[in-house]
Amino acid sequence: MSISRRKFLGWLGSAGLGATLGKNADAASNKHFTGYPDISGVLFDNTLCIGCRKCEEGCNKVNELPAPDKAFDDLSVMEAPRRTRAGEFTVVNRYSGVPDAGGPVYRKIQCNHCLEPACASACFVSAFTKTPTGAVTYDESVCVGCRYCMIACPFEIPAYEYDKALTPRVTKCTLCHPRIIKGLLPGCVEICPTEALTFGKRKDLIRLARERIQQHPGRYVDHVYGETEMGGTSWLYLSGTPFQKIGMREDLGNLPAPLLTKGALSAVPIISGMWPVLLTGIYAISKRKEKIAETEKAQAINAAREQAEADAKAKLDAALKQAQKDKEKEIELQVKRALEEAAKAQSEAAAKPETKEESDG
Amino acid sequence: MAEETASTSKIQITPFTVVSGIILVIGVVLTVLRFTGGLAAVTNLSDNNPWGIWIGFDLLVGVALAAGGYVTSAAVYIFGLKKYHSAVRPAILTGFLGYALVVLALHYDVGRPWRLPYPFLVQQGTTSLLFEVGACVALYLTVLFIEFSPVAMEWLGLKRARNLVVRLTLLLTIFGVVLSTLHQSSLGALYLIAPSKVHPLWYSSYLPVYFFVSSIIAGLSMVIFESSLSYRYFKDKMDPEHLAEKDSVALGFGKAAAFVLAGYFIIKVIGIAADNNWDYLSTGYGAWYLVELLGFVALPCFLYAVGVRDKNLALIKWTSALTVLGIVVNRFNVSMIAFNYHLPASERYFPSWMEIGISIFIVTIGVVVFRFIVTRMPILYEHPGYKGAH
Amino acid sequence: MAAIAFLAAAILSFGVPGVQGVQQELDSMEVMRADLVMIDTMKTFGRLERPPVVFLHDKHTEALLQQKQDCNACHPADEKGRQSHKFKRIEDSDPKAVMDLYHEGCITCHTETATAGRKSGPVTCGACHLKKPTVISDSQPMGMDKSLHYRHTKTLENKCEKCHHVYNEQKKTLEYLKGQEGSCRYCHGETKVENRIAAQQAFHQACIGCHQQRLAEKKVSGPNECSRCHSLEDQKLIEVVKDVPRMEVNQPNVVFVKRLQENEPPPTPEENTLMQQVPFDHKAHEEFNNTCRVCHHANLKACVSCHTLKGDEKGGRVQLEQSMHQSNAGQSCIGCHNNQKVQPECAGCHENIYQKLSGDTNASACLACHMEPMPVTDGSTQQPAELAALMLESRKKPPTPYPADKIPEIVDIGVLTNQFQKARMPHRKIVQALEKKIQGNQLAVAYHGDSGALCQGCHHNSVIAEKPPKCGSCHGQPFVERQPVRPGLIAAYHQQCIGCHTRMGIEKPAATDCTACHEKK
């Protein structure tokens, strides 16, 4: 196919432009985001938790969630470990048989409201927002239902309304964002009878947690879970028993989730820029090679033809010369023969003069 | 199952049409169930396992196996390997159908499919690799559509339009390779965000590279595989150029596949070394990983090389089937087997028969449409009105 | 067709690898043994090239016993006939020699045993140098207590010289000096110091050595297997003698705690800045503890011999005050008393995490021990020792709680009645139950036998009074920024009541049984 140079460059430009549409990604940099200042958080102290499930009840009431199959004061549901589900933003699990615990240990599970949430990073319609209050909120009006947030969350928190055909939503704890911006307490915190949950500014909660550990070193594991895990979370945990024994993963690392995909995303613009140039270059080289091959082929053909012509001409000349020579020889021969015959005839005629008076000559 | 000319509008009663008809009917029923009962009515998806075979197979495998489109058109138009020209249109058709079916499958999997355009029109989540996948797949489907359109135009007799579009070929090919690189690798990069959930042998920061390189392998192998199937069932539609070139396509693509498989093997081993994951190889998962690496990467590499050296076309065809299977195994491994490896057996995922039914339904649609197009439009032959006009 | 092949592969690939979680695999493989010895001898020579070897000692002694072999098979004796606790050597020589010793010693025996057709140990490198050992040690420390010591003295007919010795610096020998017996640990520390072997070696040499000998002589003896001393289960089986007669080592009965060293003259009345003396019932404290080492952690002398007033090198620069009062050191008076507070009878009040008992920091706490002196007329600053007994007698008064009619019988807590009706607290019953608990305990009576002090358990952070303040006087709204530590009123009630019940092991009313304390509205 043949296109003019101008057209080609024009298309290349538009291809490059088109390749950059909708592929913005933050360039790699040394900036370190330490979170919004003054964000709130919740501290859960499991040495104070008695496993009464009032927090589940409070959450259910405040968020107007559907009534559960078993009432909240039915503690037998804790016989099996549970996870958050559609309509259950938070659950309390009981862990019996933890060594050196002196009884069952409880853990409240809900969204940890990470400082740099994996769900927000993963969502391709930005349905999750880390608000300045610290709460990570979910906007159901844009959610497409791809469930990538559920893949991304390292704490396995978001749940989905699989049984809804037309309006399924992702569900998770909202840190009672509508309430906390009005100065109210989150539903679970307000109802907890033993204040195992403390609401306050995250930096104050960390200080409080450290204070408790310092004052009662034998009582707590010397670690505030959530201070650095996955880059830090707004929900913090104090425990009297090792975190791993109560189902909290200690192998998640301190890297915030968005950093895990930063490398791959940063490759997008560079590929968009480099690939067209590279591929066009390869095309140009291959086209050039083709052209050179064709020219060489044409040249070879020409050379061969010329050679053939020259050969033919030479052959013809030689043949003509030969023919000329032959012809001359033939003429000579004929002349010689004629002369010999004439001579012969003359000698014969001289030998018989009387026989024929009349000569025809 | 030899096909007769299908220019009549009557549907013939053959085993193929009966079986595919049954599948299509079941598929429609399941579709109704899906959209009246929600995902719970049809799938075994759960809060711990939000992605099942509709993502693991229909999306991941589908996109990988449709990679023949960009690989073939790059080989012919960018690298100038004109002798594979006859393979371009079938590859583009496979690619176009493949991506179209991926989008169809997404309509089943996603909770609110009518909102699929939202990331482009309403609100962008540009920190998300899924945004990257969506944008590139949408653009690439458009590219494939445009690349395919000359076929339809030739069939419909729209000469001027067809000639205009064909002049865009090089541009579209380049654009297609860029987009394919981006979305093939981004599909692998989707799992970068969940290191705690993917088994260390399959999790690597090189996941995007692995997915991209294996997509090239998938594309090359699918072209060989499909061309052998097309020869078996649509031989009478193939024109002399096609018939003449098809062996060299198998040999050439087989050789390329051997090289790329060797490279893929090397970078996978480098990945294990970089993370010092050797100890995992001696576990149960490690054994399975070795099956994938040795049986579905090293073995086909070797078999392709032998097949090309000995010009053994039958071996190359079987190896292409093995390689395609290997791609399926790899995508399944990353998305469903190595994923959530840390959960107890009772919480692991296995697809429901209805999910499998929908996947089969979608594949069947693809096969039926492919057959429809190949038997009517100039895919396996050149339209007489445009001979030599490429 | 191909589609079927795909499906087959797809379905197969789901079932293949162990779909069991990784965590489960690990947990199921851990075995706990008390006889586990980690052979990491090469550590003394530098960094380990291979992981330490897990060695199960009892398994080997059993196996050797079956072959009629004893400790000498592996542990040689030195020139004095003492058995080495090292493997096939007395001392560590050079790295290669030691490593070869182990390799040859272990692998040869394993190979021979296997050849003889018996169950044997591993012979390959990785099978001994396990990267991920599946056996974990649950070996418990072992020690002498009064009961065990008594059983030994009885069996050995009070021949103390059989175990106790001191080192004579001049003669460079060990000898027995009557009256100088003490704990082995007073001289033998964690590591070997010149000639003085480490405690572990000393114990095994002395104890196991003696046991071995007696077992060989078919006499009554202790065990020689690791688990019989060091496993938790077997320790529970050790016979405990109930009333051990007092060990007579010239210790005092009742005495004033010494503040001055032997040769120090007492201060004159003018320069006296010392605290009031503390009368101390040594005999009673002997009965409170299982071993002397709880207090006499370095020797059997008085604390001040090392922990002087100003602090001394000998005592690690720990001053006398700290040695008596350090709250987190079990050897100090206060430290040990604090440890008593953990018992269920005491924990209800004392283990409350927000508790700041007013007694802790004011003067009256000191007076519990530093009693008001009985008057002496000779102007000296030291009380004669006899007075100590008299002072202690005077302290042994019975507790004097408030009379019953002064203690409210039922306290209605009705300040917050949203979901529930008011709580009717059986106040007097609770107070009297607590009083009963402290009656038998001298320590408790000494500190809070009188009226009012006990009330501080719940009515904390306030002055001792007949009518202590209500909870609501200080506890109000929760999460007040300027008072981050103080719980709100609801939590104050619940933490106090529920917390106390939990700490004291009171199962009824259950913490989650709301209506047990307050009816629903």
Side-chain angles (χ1 to χ4, degrees), chain B residues 192-270:
Chain B
L192 287 177
I193 204 167
S196 56
K197 298 189 187 179
V198 179
H199 190 278
L201 280 173
W202 280 271
Y203 183 87
S204 163
S205 41
Y206 298 129
L207 264 171
V209 179
Y210 293 159
F211 268 56
F212 172 57
V213 174
S214 54
S215 77
I216 299 176
I217 297 166
L220 293 167
S221 301
M222 266 307 264
V223 168
I224 300 173
F225 182 66
E226 265 192 283
S227 125
S228 69
L229 285 179
S230 295
Y231 182 70
R232 189 160 163 214
Y233 295 111
F234 305 117
K235 184 164 34 187
D236 52 328
K237 291 270 174 267
M238 289 184 172
D239 66 4
E241 184 204 350
H242 226 100
L243 290 165
E245 281 185 359
K246 73 168 184 44
D247 283 354
S248 79
V249 167
L251 288 170
F253 276 36
K255 195 199 288 198
F259 271 108
V260 182
L261 277 161
Y264 181 59
F265 181 85
I266 291 171
I267 60 176
K268 281 217 116 161
V269 171
I270 288 175

Side-chain angles (χ1 to χ4, degrees), chain A residues 1 3 7-8 11-12 14-15 18-19 21-26 83-86 118 120-127 138-148 150-154 156 158-160 162-169 249 251-252 257-258 260-261 264-265 267-268 271-272 275-276 279-280 282-283 286-287 290, chain B residues 34-41 43 45-51 55 77-80 82 109-116 118-119 122-132 135-136 139 166-171 174-175 177-179 181-182 185-186 189-197 203 208 212 339-343 390:
Chain A
M1 56 169 212
I3 41 170
K7 261 198 202 145
F8 179 68
W11 283 338
L12 196 60
S14 54
L21 282 173
K23 285 187 228 5
N24 300 324
D26 285 335
R83 63 151 280 166
T84 51
R85 276 174 37 171
S121 168
C123 182
F124 70 158
V125 285
S126 291
Y138 165 74
D139 181 359
E140 64 180 76
S141 70
V142 292
C143 176
V144 181
C146 75
R147 309 187 299 284
Y148 187 30
M150 297 166 72
I151 298 274
C153 178
E156 287 161 352
Y160 199 64
Y162 286 110
D163 51 6
K164 287 211 183 139
L166 296 174
T167 55
R169 297 170 296 178
R249 289 185 75 159
D251 61 343
L252 297 174
L260 293 164
T261 55
L265 280 171
V268 171
I271 290 182
S272 310
W275 251 226
L279 294 167
T280 313
I282 296 175
Y283 167 76
S286 78
K287 257 276 170 287
E290 235 177 74
Chain B
R34 155 70 182 91
F35 288 103
T36 52
L39 285 161
T43 67
L45 297 173
S46 65
D47 290 328
N48 276 336
N49 296 294
W51 284 356
I55 296 289
Y77 296 121
I78 296 180
F79 290 84
K82 296 264 188 317
D109 183 74
V110 141
R112 299 197 218 212
W114 51 92
R115 286 190 182 176
L116 275 170
Y118 271 38
V122 173
Q123 193 168 271
Q124 290 77 43
T126 48
T127 57
S128 168
L129 277 155
L130 198 58
F131 179 84
E132 178 54 38
C136 292
L139 283 169
V166 157
R167 281 145 72 135
L168 295 172
T169 304
L170 178 66
L171 184 72
I174 292 178
F175 198 32
V177 174
V178 174
L179 289 170
T181 310
L182 291 173
S185 53
S186 298
L190 285 177
Y191 290 92
L192 287 177
I193 204 167
S196 56
K197 298 189 187 179
Y203 183 87
F212 172 57
F339 184 77
N340 274 346
Y341 74 103
H342 61 297
L343 293 182
H390 292 290

